[in-house]
Amino acid sequence: MLRRALATLALLICPLPALADTAVERTAPVRLCVDPDWPPYEWLDETGHHRGIAADLVRLIAKRAGLNLQIVRTSTWDESVSLARTGQCDALSFLNQTPERDTWLRFTQPYFFDRNVIITRAEHAPITDLGALPKGTTVALPTATSIMERIGHDFPQLRILPVGSETEAFGMVEAREADLTLRALTVAAYTIKHEGWFNLKIAGELPDFGNRMRIGVVAAKPELVRALDTAIATLTSEEVDEIVNRHVAIEMPTRTDYALIAKVVAGFAVLLLLAYLWIRHLGRLNRRLADLGARLREDIAAREQAERALKDSEQHYRSVVEMAQEGILVVQDGHVTYANPAFSEMLGYDGEELARMDAFESLILSEDLPRARTNHHRRLAGEEAEQRYPLRLVHKSGRILWAETSGVCINWNGRPATLNIVNDITARKAAEDSIRHLAHHDPLTGLPNRVLLQDRLERALASAQRNGASLAMLFIDLDGFKPVNDRYGHDTGDALLQAVAKRLNGTLRHSDTAARIGGDEFVVLLPVLADAGDAGLIAGKLRTAIASPFEIDGHRITISASIGLALYPRDGDTATELMRTADGAMYAEKRQHTA
């Protein structure tokens, strides 16, 4: 509602020019070249129709501009660029603006923003700075893209491997033919889900490499740019988000061989996308409210203006604040002197109750109170204070909620006070916690995954080296699991894996870690051993536990396990050496079972 109120106020002050006033011929078709194979952004289907996020957005822009689009069919993006260079297309639908492209194209205002992320294999460490990567690190990137131009210019130590498509880039990273690739977040989530790249992960973000997607128009048609910009100015974020959600929908693939992979990737992708859209929405509202606070402060400080002008301005701003969905409150002398309806609803107090209580002591969780006090007093003193920082508030019912707050110092009724903007981010924090859990746990069994196992193993090795202690690693592979899948189906196989995970946890000590690293393979970390022989005793208990029959979906199922053992420091002093030794020992035992 705040966005609509600000937009209405802006229209009253400076209305948008009428779309019909743009000087472009509406009857002549606009020849549009597109990327024929760039889902989910855009593609041409088998009938030549333009599909995808960009397709829906461009059609909406063209409709509002009164333009008739004519899609020029091409086979590749390079062909589309070539036709635009030779004047056989009037515009390119969806691309970033670059200095090279500025030499022959005129660009509209951006109508879609998407951040770029770094994609690596699952075992790769997080990446916070491309400039810190070793010289010769390979990056697979599709040709004729703006990201290829920028990466090649800004990070000359990286070796770029040109490819024909995002899918080919992902495949090279999966096959270890490239160290990493860079793609927009929307494309990364879509490609990982639909192609089943379960060995890949998002390892970092490129905050300065966001994609501001525009329509590129050939230089000879400046009037077309003006018409398109006028139509783009009418787009709302709700319309853009609705189109994005329509195309980045989560569907279960039909290939039964990849059912488990699809569930993992689909669950991670939907949470990642929802968190991204929600954070983006909150960021947009915070920027608008911060601007509102600045304008309120400037207007209140302008006391030399006429009394009538001051009252009119105050009335306009109060209407906007009262309609805001974010909590807005003024704190003066340690008390709430004003709170809008959204803040009252957020915490369950009416205006009179808020006016009677101390702002800090009653509303903020005691652990977060020092931080809130410090920032409040810094603002009053004119010093730099934190903006958009999280803290926990106490609802009238006693329920704790997470909030994100920012503020400025203002003059309220002739005396200093702080104007504070408060957003309820409880749902966002829950989504972030869920994403962190998915990043470190197997979604089928709930056991730690390879990433969390590696972290715990490194910590255990560091402790053992400091204390001169021993630890053990057990590599477990289920014997006879594939026949269960073949005979009873994957649902029964999944239930069996869950039952095995439960038995492992029931047999191990609290300090031990049982992890699933893929398929029917498990790894057990024994970080504390009083005697090296204890590892063999625990391995025997695990064999016995797994060999006991399982009752799954009305079937009595019996399997066994091959277990390989590695001891620190006897079999190695690094995580890699211990994993290799345990894996080899497991395969040796499996060969004995087969023989």
Side-chain angles (χ1 to χ4, degrees):
M1 293 180 67
L2 176 60
R3 186 186 293 110
R4 297 193 182 107
L6 292 175
T8 302
L9 184 60
L11 286 171
L12 291 173
I13 296 172
C14 181
L16 291 171
L19 298 183
D21 292 341
T22 53
V24 62
E25 179 59 51
R26 298 298 197 269
T27 58
V30 176
R31 299 170 298 172
L32 186 69
C33 277
V34 306
D35 191 325
D37 185 21
W38 196 14
Y41 287 146
E42 61 176 346
W43 69 91
L44 295 180
D45 64 17
E46 61 275 4
T47 63
H49 286 89
H50 191 201
R51 307 293 189 191
I53 295 171
D56 290 352
L57 288 172
V58 169
R59 274 194 290 272
L60 181 58
I61 293 167
K63 179 180 179 181
R64 293 184 179 176
L67 299 175
N68 177 24
L69 295 181
Q70 177 182 326
I71 304 300
V72 179
R73 297 185 66 170
T74 58
S75 299
T76 65
W77 171 244
D78 289 337
E79 183 183 351
S80 294
V81 172
S82 177
L83 292 182
R85 280 185 177 275
T86 57
Q88 298 177 63
C89 290
D90 299 316
L92 292 166
S93 59
F94 195 69
L95 70 171
N96 277 299
Q97 184 175 5
T98 68
E100 190 279 331
R101 291 170 177 171
D102 281 336
T103 62
W104 61 285
L105 287 175
R106 294 175 183 266
F107 285 90
T108 68
Q109 291 299 313
Y111 64 93
F112 184 82
F113 175 81
D114 202 359
R115 65 187 66 184
N116 275 309
V117 294
I118 303 168
I119 308 301
T120 65
R121 284 184 56 83
E123 66 269 16
H124 201 289
I127 299 174
T128 58
D129 181 12
L130 286 179
L133 293 176
K135 182 177 181 180
T137 299
T138 54
V139 186
L141 293 173
T143 59
T145 56
S146 61
I147 191 69
M148 174 179 279
E149 297 177 24
R150 291 192 63 187
I151 292 299
H153 178 270
D154 294 351
F155 303 100
Q157 91 279 10
L158 302 181
R159 184 161 63 92
I160 296 176
L161 304 178
V163 297
S165 66
E166 274 86 5
T167 299
E168 186 177 348
F170 276 72
M172 292 185 69
V173 177
E174 167 78 8
R176 293 189 173 90
E177 298 174 0
D179 297 315
L180 57 97
T181 185
L182 308 171
R183 287 321 306 150
L185 177 62
T186 303
V187 172
Y190 179 90
T191 305
I192 289 174
K193 174 177 74 73
H194 281 269
E195 299 298 329
W197 303 110
F198 63 96
N199 282 327
L200 302 185
K201 73 172 183 179
I202 296 176
E205 180 183 341
L206 297 174
D208 298 330
F209 283 74
N211 295 298
R212 300 181 181 273
M213 308 309 291
R214 311 166 188 258
I215 300 174
V217 180
V218 295
K221 292 184 176 290
E223 71 285 352
L224 181 56
V225 177
R226 291 193 291 272
L228 291 169
D229 274 341
T230 302
I232 289 170
T234 69
L235 291 178
T236 67
S237 59
E238 288 82 0
E239 291 172 324
V240 175
D241 290 345
E242 189 278 330
I243 288 173
V244 171
N245 291 333
R246 183 191 310 157
H247 288 280
V248 189
I250 303 303
E251 300 175 356
M252 297 302 293
T254 58
R255 295 175 294 176
T256 57
D257 289 343
Y258 295 93
L260 178 58
I261 299 171
K263 291 177 184 176
V264 175
V265 176
F268 180 79
V270 71
L271 287 174
L272 185 65
L273 183 60
L274 288 175
Y276 161 67
L277 293 176
W278 181 243
I279 293 170
R280 174 183 168 192
H281 172 69
L282 290 178
R284 189 163 53 246
L285 291 180
N286 278 332
R287 288 192 294 272
R288 299 227 178 167
L289 286 173
D291 179 65
L292 172 63
R295 291 168 61 188
L296 281 168
R297 182 182 58 189
E298 293 169 1
D299 285 354
I300 294 173
R303 287 174 292 181
E304 64 270 16
Q305 293 183 355
E307 184 68 22
R308 183 181 299 276
L310 181 59
K311 290 182 179 180
D312 291 343
S313 175
E314 190 176 14
Q315 183 178 359
H316 285 305
Y317 286 124
R318 181 171 291 276
S319 297
V320 173
V321 170
E322 292 290 330
M323 291 187 297
Q325 294 182 347
E326 288 67 37
I328 300 176
L329 71 157
V330 176
V331 178
Q332 189 175 60
D333 298 331
H335 294 273
V336 175
T337 58
Y338 170 79
N340 73 339
F343 185 83
S344 296
E345 182 179 356
M346 185 186 304
L347 292 182
Y349 295 99
D350 60 31
E352 293 183 359
E353 291 175 312
L354 288 172
R356 291 196 301 266
M357 68 175 60
D358 186 278
F360 290 121
E361 300 297 335
S362 301
L363 300 178
I364 302 174
L365 194 66
S366 59
E367 289 88 341
D368 295 345
L369 193 55
R371 185 178 188 181
R373 278 204 190 106
T374 298
N375 286 310
H376 175 71
H377 292 303
R378 281 182 176 274
R379 293 191 184 101
L380 290 176
E383 300 173 356
E384 184 176 351
E386 286 183 282
Q387 291 293 335
R388 297 175 61 187
Y389 65 92
L391 55 79
R392 287 163 290 180
L393 301 179
V394 182
H395 190 270
K396 182 178 180 180
S397 65
R399 175 173 56 90
I400 304 300
L401 58 87
W402 278 96
E404 184 178 68
T405 181
S406 58
V408 293
C409 180
I410 62 172
N411 192 307
W412 185 267
N413 294 329
R415 293 187 298 112
T418 59
L419 173 70
N420 303 272
I421 312 300
V422 182
N423 288 288
D424 186 346
I425 60 170
T426 305
R428 189 183 88 188
K429 292 287 290 185
E432 291 171 349
D433 291 341
S434 179
I435 290 173
R436 280 193 293 270
H437 182 82
L438 277 177
H440 294 91
H441 292 83
D442 172 46
L444 177 64
T445 63
L447 294 178
N449 61 12
R450 187 186 296 270
V451 175
L452 184 54
L453 173 67
Q454 183 72 19
D455 179 72
R456 292 185 178 178
L457 176 56
E458 294 290 351
R459 292 173 184 269
L461 281 172
S463 176
Q465 289 166 357
R466 286 194 306 269
N467 302 320
S470 297
L471 64 82
M473 174 165 288
L474 305 177
F475 203 111
I476 303 172
D477 185 87
L478 302 183
D479 300 326
F481 176 77
K482 185 177 183 303
V484 173
N485 261 347
D486 294 340
R487 182 175 180 181
Y488 302 112
H490 289 282
D491 288 343
T492 299
D494 289 349
L496 177 58
L497 291 174
Q498 292 170 334
V500 169
K502 185 175 181 180
R503 285 195 184 175
L504 290 178
N505 277 334
T507 305
L508 296 172
R509 302 166 300 180
H510 181 72
S511 60
D512 302 333
T513 295
R516 180 174 178 238
I517 62 173
D520 59 348
E521 293 182 336
F522 299 80
V523 172
V524 170
L525 170 63
L526 306 176
V528 179
L529 289 177
D531 184 90
D534 292 347
L537 296 177
I538 294 175
K541 290 181 180 179
L542 293 176
R543 286 191 186 91
T544 301
I546 296 173
S548 180
F550 294 86
E551 295 294 335
I552 306 291
D553 296 332
H555 305 294
R556 186 178 178 85
I557 299 174
T558 301
I559 58 173
S560 60
S562 296
I563 303 179
L565 169 65
L567 287 172
Y568 167 86
R570 186 194 72 187
D571 299 319
D573 57 3
T574 67
T576 301
E577 290 173 345
L578 292 175
M579 286 287 287
R580 185 187 305 117
T581 301
D583 188 36
M586 180 276 293
Y587 276 108
E589 181 171 308
K590 184 175 287 289
R591 285 193 295 271
Q592 291 178 357
H593 290 174
T594 303

